[in-house]
């Protein structure tokens, strides 16, 4: 059974940086395209970025020049380096395969506020 465990969220000031991580277990991680998703209260989850097995990356409009997605297959982990954060980046962030599986972790809350 696949499991996703996100970590590293928290409170960050506008313009600051934050790095969030996600460890995946129960699957052949290195064969999966992995993504970061975000969800606000009452909203649907949306894809923020993904990275494929070759390391190619895609970003949602508005974050490509500020966020960096990375993966470490030896650790079955993906990361999202969030730079120059804005209040509009406030959301709960989740990782999953791209396209998604039916399993979701708890996610991490990222709050951008002064």
């Amino acid at each position: 059974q696949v499991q996703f465990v996100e970590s590293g969220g928290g409170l960050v000031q506008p313009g600051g940086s934050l790095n969030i991580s996600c460890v995946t277990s129960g699957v052949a991680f290195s064969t999966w395209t992995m993504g970061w998703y975000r969800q606000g209260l009452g909203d649907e989850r949306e894809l923020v970025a993904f990275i494929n097995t070759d390391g190619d990356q895609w970003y949602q409009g508005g974050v490509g020049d500020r966020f960096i997605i990375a993966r470490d297959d030896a650790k079955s982990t993906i990361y999202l380096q969030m730079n120059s954060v804005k209040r509009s980046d406030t959301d709960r962030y989740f990782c999953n395969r791209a396209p998604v599986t039916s399993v979701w972790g708890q996610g991490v809350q990222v709050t951008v506020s002064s």
Side-chain angles (χ1 to χ4, degrees):
Q1 176 75 353
V2 62
Q3 184 177 15
F4 305 106
V5 179
E6 300 91 347
S7 62
L11 176 65
V12 58
Q13 293 188 344
S17 296
L18 192 68
N19 191 289
I20 57 178
S21 305
C22 170
V23 178
T24 301
S25 61
V27 295
F29 177 83
S30 64
T31 67
W32 280 18
T33 291
M34 292 296 298
W36 281 102
Y37 301 78
R38 61 188 291 178
Q39 184 177 28
L41 284 176
D43 295 333
E44 294 187 356
R45 285 190 185 101
E46 59 182 16
L47 181 63
V48 177
F50 71 74
I51 183 168
N52 68 12
T53 57
D54 292 328
D56 299 321
Q57 302 152 36
W58 174 92
Y59 296 93
Q60 180 187 53
V63 306
D65 59 343
R66 300 184 294 116
F67 292 3
I68 302 171
I69 187 171
R71 66 188 297 156
D72 184 337
D73 288 347
K75 296 181 178 180
S76 298
T77 300
I78 61 169
Y79 306 91
L80 188 67
Q81 176 67 37
M82 306 171 69
N83 301 315
S84 302
V85 294
K86 305 176 181 179
R87 287 183 172 82
S88 58
D89 295 325
T90 295
D91 259 337
R92 195 160 191 87
Y93 287 75
F94 301 82
C95 73
N96 208 311
R97 189 185 61 184
V100 301
T101 70
S102 60
V103 176
W104 291 90
Q106 293 298 308
V108 290
Q109 179 65 36
V110 173
T111 301
V112 182
S113 175
S114 54

